[in-house]
Each structure stands twice: as structure tokens, then as C-alpha cells.
Amino acid sequence: MIDIRSMTLKELEQYMESIGEKKFRAKQVYEWFHKRLALSFDEMNNIPKALKEKLKEQCTMMELKEIEHFVSKIDGTRKYLFELEDGNIIESVLMKYKHGNSVCISSQAGCRMGCKFCASTLGGLDRSLTPAEMVGQIYAIQKDTGERVSNVVVMGTGEPLDNYENLLRFITLLSDENGLNISQRNLTVSTCGIVPKIQSLADEKLQITLAISLHAPNDAMRKELMPIAYQYSMDELLDACKYYFEQTKRRMTFEYSLVAGVNDTSSNAKELCKRLKGFPCHVNLIPVNPIKERDFKQSVPESIRDFKNILEKNRVNVTIRREMGRDINAACGQLRRQKLQEKEN
Ligand code: SAH
């Protein structure tokens, strides 16, 4: 079956021509999928019946079925669990801010990066998501709430740069004027730091924000938290970041999850400042979200504040991530994991 919702407009035009159809049909079908968020050929009322039948025979839409969602009573954050056509389960989150609605999507079902504090990687990688399954999370949420999604962060389950080609196509679909037309500037992609892929992404010269999961001020400590640090040193990673900035002129974000007694001391903060001094970036401090399978604890508010003050004194831009949906917040990837375990029993 052809994954038709994953095709860019250009690819869809080629496909239409290959099955003997006029090129303009591609734009019509594309708009049904990506602007009107259609999920059946039957509702495409400007498409001839014979073509609809042909498409039904040849194509799949890689549709997401909502299994359930949870709504926070505190701030309206919504967590969704979706089932994919092959039975896999993924999770996505909608966060409501004053400046608009932001959706956090998964890029893979599971993850093979093995970061120690992360629940999404505990069961390994099942498979990467297709572009249709990535935009599908945003479309399903926009349809469910009836409200426009203005920002997207690829920070859910999975390593987006481990699904590179599909990520690029996803960005094309999302920012296309014939689709939802979400500006690349409103899209953030977060990576654990796959250096060669950061370099390739830089060469694409996109306008997205790149967020790097750093979590440590040096290689030794980073290795304890993130296996990827064995493959690429912090020097190599920061060089790739510099290259990304030179190519795109986009200021990057560094994410730093604070774990009590592991990476949250004032000397850790000072070392981080030395590494980042003068680099056009922004540091996002995330009090670690404890998962039951591991013994990591959140830093106490005082160390979080101290850490932030040291960065500010050294003129490193810094914010503390506000925790959203505390009452429904099974830590990153935990909801999916819980559901998969229920399924097995
Ligand atoms: N694989 C990508 C994107 C997914 S994770 C990446 O590594 O960036 C999104 C962010 O959440 C990353 O910074 C990740 O390190 C962080 N994260 C994962 N589990 C967490 C937890 N339990 N508490 C706090 N941050 C966590």
C-alpha cells in the first residue's frame, strides 16, 4: 500500500501522473489531507468517483486512532494516546499557552538512544513514524479541540534525527502553504546530539529551532546519563552546533535536566557556563521527571534557583521549564509504556 498522506505535494503530483491522472488532482487531494484534515476519500467531493476508488485500492492513510485522552484540571494540558494502523501506540501532548496552542509529538514508537532518565527508551525502538503519522498527531489534536495549533515541538518519544528523512518530509508538510502552513520558526526539533545529522540538517538551511539535549557540562558526566556521549564528544557536538548556527543564524536551545546530586551543583553550573560562553544559545533547565524504573530525583528548588543564577551571572540566557499538566503527567513516555504493559497482561 502507498502511504499517500506522507507524500509532499510534488511527490503526489508525480504519483497522479504515474496513474494517468491530471496534475491538478494532486493539489486537490493534498488540500483535503493537509488543510481540511480529511481522513477518508469519500468526503473528497471534488474528486471523481473512479479516482477515489483507485486511490482506495492503492493507498493507506496511516491513520491514528485515539485510544484515550487526559485533560489537566490545572492548566488544560491534554495528553493523547493514539493507536497506529499496525497496533503500535504513541503519545502526544497539547499545551495551552497565552501565545497559542503548542503540540508535542512523537517521532518514533519507542527509542533506541538509551538515555538513563527517560521512560521512552526503556522498551527499545519498535519503529520510526512516517511523516503522515507525525503530522497526523497534530491534525487529530486540532480536530479534537477545534482550535488552531500554532507551535509544534518534536520532543515526544523517539529521536527525530534517527528518523531523518521522514523528519524532513514532515517539516515540508507542516510548513507548506497548501497545508496547515505552520511557520518553521514555530517548530522546535529536539535531539540527543547525533553529530553528522546535525551537520546535514544545518545544510538544509531551515528556519526551525534546534534543541540539543545536553544534560551535563562534560563528557564524563554526560556518558553516565546518555549513551550517545560515547559516540560523540561534547567538543564535536558543540562544533556541530556552531556550524548549525553559521548556516542558519538560528539561536539554539540547550536542554539540561537537573537531577539531584548528579548534575546540579554550582560547580556543574560554572563548568557549563565555560563551555557555552559567548555561544548564541538559550538554556532550558528541566527539573527531571522521576520515573519509577530508575532512581533519579528532582533537584530541590534551591539548587535549581542557584543553578539558574550562576548562568545568569555569566550572561548565559536561561529559563526554567514550567511544568505543565502536573496532575496528568506520567513522565515523558510513561503513558505509552503503561498502556503497552496493560496490553501484554
Ligand atoms: N530524543 C530527543 C527528543 C525526545 S526527549 C532528545 O533527546 O532530545 C525530549 C527531552 O526530554 C530531552 O531533552 C530529554 O532528554 C528530556 N527528558 C526525557 N526524559 C526526561 C525525564 N524523565 N525528565 C526530564 N527530562 C526528560
Side-chain angles (χ1 to χ4, degrees):
M1 291 290 247
I2 293 168
D3 176 8
I4 187 169
R5 274 205 312 162
S6 285
M7 289 182 185
T8 61
L9 181 55
K10 256 205 200 113
E11 288 166 340
L12 197 54
E13 282 170 356
Q14 283 160 3
Y15 169 63
M16 285 294 171
E17 286 179 327
S18 78
I19 58 170
E21 296 289 336
K22 293 256 165 44
K23 203 169 146 187
F24 77 93
R25 294 290 178 206
K27 192 160 174 207
Q28 288 179 321
V29 170
Y30 187 91
E31 283 191 350
W32 275 108
F33 283 140
H34 301 288
K35 193 173 255 170
R36 305 204 216 181
L37 315 185
L39 273 174
S40 76
F41 292 109
D42 290 328
E43 59 189 296
M44 301 183 177
N45 58 21
N46 54 358
I47 304 296
K49 192 154 182 283
L51 174 54
K52 283 196 264 199
E53 292 308 316
K54 208 187 301 182
L55 294 176
K56 272 190 220 170
E57 267 168 36
Q58 296 187 353
C59 303
T60 164
M61 279 175 253
M62 299 297 248
E63 194 177 332
L64 311 186
K65 253 203 316 240
E66 183 185 317
I67 305 177
E68 56 188 326
H69 73 247
F70 307 84
V71 184
S72 161
K73 291 194 180 71
I74 303 170
D75 53 32
T77 297
R78 298 163 87 93
K79 272 216 162 193
Y80 291 81
L81 276 173
F82 295 111
E83 185 170 329
L84 309 179
E85 284 186 356
D86 65 357
N88 248 309
I89 292 174
I90 56 169
E91 62 181 275
S92 325
V93 190
L94 169 77
M95 290 157 291
K96 295 181 165 228
Y97 296 102
K98 279 198 203 85
H99 64 263
N101 288 347
S102 182
V103 170
C104 173
I105 67 156
S106 296
S107 57
Q108 297 180 311
C111 182
R112 55 178 182 154
M113 294 298 133
C115 298
K116 291 291 190 311
F117 44 79
C118 180
S120 296
T121 197
L122 290 170
L125 175 68
D126 281 312
R127 70 169 171 87
S128 284
L129 301 189
T130 69
E133 288 166 337
M134 289 194 255
V135 289
Q137 297 167 60
I138 300 153
Y139 298 174
I141 291 174
Q142 179 155 315
K143 275 175 106 167
D144 182 51
T145 60
E147 290 174 28
R148 190 183 140 76
V149 172
S150 53
N151 292 272
V152 174
V153 295
V154 187
M155 283 193 188
T157 302
E159 169 48 49
L161 298 190
D162 188 35
N163 186 16
Y164 187 75
E165 293 303 323
N166 286 342
L167 176 77
L168 287 188
R169 215 177 296 173
F170 157 77
I171 296 172
T172 306
L173 297 178
L174 192 70
S175 54
D176 189 348
E177 59 181 11
N178 299 299
L180 283 193
N181 198 7
I182 295 178
S183 155
Q184 286 184 6
R185 288 172 173 266
N186 294 341
L187 172 65
T188 298
V189 172
S190 175
T191 175
C192 65
I194 302 179
V195 165
K197 292 284 161 39
I198 294 173
Q199 290 159 342
S200 311
L201 195 63
D203 292 332
E204 298 286 334
K205 296 193 198 300
L206 301 174
Q207 284 301 297
I208 63 170
T209 299
L210 192 59
I212 306 285
S213 300
L214 205 55
H215 305 321
N218 59 52
D219 283 314
M221 191 176 291
R222 202 160 182 263
K223 281 176 183 165
E224 276 177 31
L225 296 170
M226 307 175 74
I228 192 75
Y230 284 95
Q231 271 185 60
Y232 309 106
S233 68
M234 260 179 80
D235 279 344
E236 289 171 306
L237 178 57
L238 294 175
D239 278 350
C241 291
K242 270 189 197 121
Y243 181 66
Y244 188 88
F245 178 76
E246 283 160 15
Q247 293 295 309
T248 63
K249 295 288 175 288
R250 298 285 295 160
R251 192 173 75 152
M252 8 234 322
T253 298
F254 289 104
E255 292 160 282
Y256 196 108
S257 294
L258 289 163
V259 188
V262 175
N263 63 358
D264 67 342
T265 65
S266 48
S267 74
N268 298 151
K270 284 175 195 153
E271 194 179 357
L272 182 66
C273 292
K274 263 196 208 134
R275 297 303 288 257
L276 298 183
K277 207 153 200 171
F279 191 77
C281 66
H282 168 252
V283 173
N284 203 357
L285 298 176
I286 314 166
V288 79
N289 207 338
I291 59 175
K292 65 173 189 298
E293 291 84 352
R294 298 273 190 271
D295 201 20
F296 291 120
K297 294 192 176 56
Q298 253 185 32
S299 304
V300 294
E302 204 186 357
S303 342
I304 299 176
R305 226 178 20 243
D306 288 350
F307 203 96
K308 179 168 182 262
N309 286 342
I310 292 173
L311 266 61
E312 278 172 346
K313 263 195 216 127
N314 285 278
R315 294 206 210 106
V316 176
N317 286 304
V318 56
T319 46
I320 298 173
R321 161 126 18 121
R322 184 155 62 99
E323 202 174 354
M324 302 282 283
R326 200 188 174 97
D327 52 335
I328 54 164
N329 211 3
C332 321
Q334 282 204 41
L335 215 50
R336 167 177 189 268
R337 189 169 160 74
Q338 213 173 309
K339 201 73 196 174
L340 289 174
Q341 283 169 344
E342 277 171 32
K343 251 184 143 181
E344 272 167 24
N345 295 331

